[in-house]
């Protein structure tokens, strides 16, 4: 007698897998948003150089402890990159952790946190421009259109803050921070292929601390006169938006596509505006918000790919995964 094939055993569903990469990206975005508010708050008592140095010293000490703990667990000394890789990390760290923070801190002495974040968030457009120049990705029409819209947004923000020379200086410093952010992000993409995220972040913070060492006298004076709350904010900036956020960013970057991860940073300006309103009582001027919205529209037009019509699947689908990055 023929028997019917046995039905597959139905197993109860197990616990849902936690999307760790998505969680790491969310942590990074929230901490980076809080950094704009922290810089604005501490900047009243710490000048830009002292704030940058204090932040990097706190991050370097914390990351050194993590690196040594990992080395002890593995039973061997940390492996350091050499040659061009080490030099590249040093330049990357000096640019992102050093010069970027100096420009950002200076900008927030003249502009509120929300407006500064809107300016800095034109960085994805600059990344696309650098990719066109350095990586041969070209300049499609959507990129040129996005650049035009983003520049129009920057012009509107400039008009909204052009009540004096100091405000214009803040806009220029914010744009300088965006340029440093974009160039550092492009460099990080290549360097992460040769070194792990923890080692790179640790050495980058160390390079940033060395870059800002000339501001040691300013840090000593500020630490002696600033209220405890301001000093605690500097330590927070080093431990969380720098050490924790960059480690989470590197973790997420190694487990998802760079384009998808970069899109999560579009939420930073909205979070900054909300946090600065709740914690500092600051809201960008309506015209600055309009300019910021134009900047974000330009970023979206320039960097988000249009969906392509689906193609019919072949009879034997290929199994090679698409390369992303």
């Amino acid at each position: 007698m023929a028997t019917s094939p046995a039905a597959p055993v139905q197993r109860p569903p197990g616990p849902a897998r936690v999307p760790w990469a998505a969680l790491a990206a969310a942590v990074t975005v929230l901490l980076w948003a809080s950094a704009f508010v922290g810089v604005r708050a501490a900047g009243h008592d710490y000048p830009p150089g002292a704030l940058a140095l204090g932040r990097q010293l706190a991050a370097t000490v914390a990351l050194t402890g993590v690196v040594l703990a990992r080395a002890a667990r593995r039973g061997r000394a940390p492996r350091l990159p050499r040659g061009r890789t080490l030099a590249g990390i040093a330049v990357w760290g000096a640019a992102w952790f050093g010069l970027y923070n100096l420009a950002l801190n200076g900008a927030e002495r003249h502009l509120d946190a929300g407006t500064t974040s809107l300016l800095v968030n034109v960085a994805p457009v600059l990344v696309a421009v650098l990719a066109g120049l350095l990586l041969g990705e070209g300049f499609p029409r959507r990129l040129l259109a996005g650049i035009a819209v983003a520049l129009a947004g920057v012009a509107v923000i400039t008009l909204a803050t052009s009540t004096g020379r100091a405000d214009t200086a803040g806009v220029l410093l914010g744009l300088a921070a965006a340029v440093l952010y974009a160039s550092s992000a492009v460099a990080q993409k290549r360097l992460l292929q040769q070194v792990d995220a923890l080692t790179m972040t640790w050495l980058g913070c160390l390079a940033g601390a060395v870059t800002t060492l000339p501001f040691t006298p300013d840090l000593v004076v500020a630490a002696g006169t600033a209220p405890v709350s301001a000093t605690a904010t500097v330590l927070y900036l080093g431990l969380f938006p720098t050490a924790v956020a960059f480690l989470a960013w590197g973790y997420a970057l190694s487990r998802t596509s760079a384009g998808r991860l970069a899109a999560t940073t579009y939420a930073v300006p909205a979070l900054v505006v909300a946090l600065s309103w709740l914690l500092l009582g600051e809201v960008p001027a309506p015209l600055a918000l309009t300019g910021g919205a134009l900047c974000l529209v330009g970023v979206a037009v320039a960097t988000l790919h249009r969906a392509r019509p689906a193609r019919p699947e072949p009879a034997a689908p290929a199994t090679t995964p698409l390369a992303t990055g």
Side-chain angles (χ1 to χ4, degrees):
M1 180 181 294
T3 59
S4 59
V9 178
Q10 298 292 333
R11 297 180 179 178
R17 295 183 60 186
V18 178
W20 294 113
L23 180 61
V27 168
T28 301
V29 167
L30 180 59
L31 291 178
W32 280 356
S34 72
F36 285 91
V37 179
V39 167
R40 179 69 171 168
H44 295 294
D45 301 290
Y46 280 83
L51 179 54
L53 176 57
R55 178 175 179 176
Q56 297 316 309
L57 287 177
T60 301
V61 170
L63 290 172
T64 299
V66 176
V67 169
L68 293 178
R70 185 178 69 171
R73 187 177 69 252
R74 294 180 175 180
R76 56 179 173 81
R79 290 185 177 180
L80 300 179
R82 298 179 180 180
R84 292 183 178 180
T85 302
L86 181 58
I89 293 174
V91 173
W92 171 78
W96 203 340
F97 294 101
L99 299 179
Y100 166 81
N101 277 296
L102 288 173
L104 176 66
N105 298 346
E108 293 206 48
R109 282 228 156 184
H110 309 298
L111 303 174
D112 61 87
T115 302
T116 305
S117 68
L118 290 167
L119 284 169
V120 172
N121 213 54
V122 303
V125 172
L126 301 178
V127 170
V129 172
L130 291 174
L133 292 173
L134 304 178
L135 305 180
E137 296 184 5
F139 295 89
R141 282 182 294 179
R142 62 174 177 79
L143 173 58
L144 297 177
I147 292 173
V149 175
L151 290 178
V154 172
V156 172
I157 292 176
T158 304
L159 290 175
T161 59
S162 60
T163 56
R165 185 188 308 173
D167 292 331
T168 303
V171 172
L172 293 177
L173 285 170
L175 292 176
V179 171
L180 289 164
Y181 176 4
S183 57
S184 299
V186 173
Q188 183 185 23
K189 175 64 178 176
R190 292 189 172 185
L191 290 168
L192 276 175
Q193 298 173 359
Q194 306 173 48
V195 64
D196 65 278
L198 173 57
T199 301
M200 183 175 178
T201 305
W202 170 51
L203 293 176
C205 282
L206 181 60
V210 172
T211 303
T212 54
L213 274 179
F215 299 100
T216 301
D218 293 339
L219 177 61
V220 172
V221 172
T225 58
V228 176
S229 59
T231 302
T233 301
V234 174
L235 294 177
Y236 168 83
L237 290 171
L239 296 177
F240 293 97
T242 305
V244 173
F246 271 89
L247 286 179
W249 178 263
Y251 175 89
L253 189 60
S254 65
R255 288 163 174 79
T256 188
S257 69
R260 181 178 299 177
L261 188 61
T264 63
T265 62
Y266 298 160
V268 169
L271 290 172
V272 173
V273 171
L275 290 173
S276 61
W277 173 60
L278 291 173
L279 301 177
L280 304 177
E282 293 183 346
V283 179
L287 193 57
L289 286 175
T290 302
L294 282 174
C295 288
L296 293 181
V297 169
V299 169
V301 171
T303 60
L304 297 182
H305 296 279
R306 292 180 300 176
R308 297 179 179 178
R311 296 179 180 179
E313 295 185 1
T319 57
T320 303
L322 294 175
T324 59

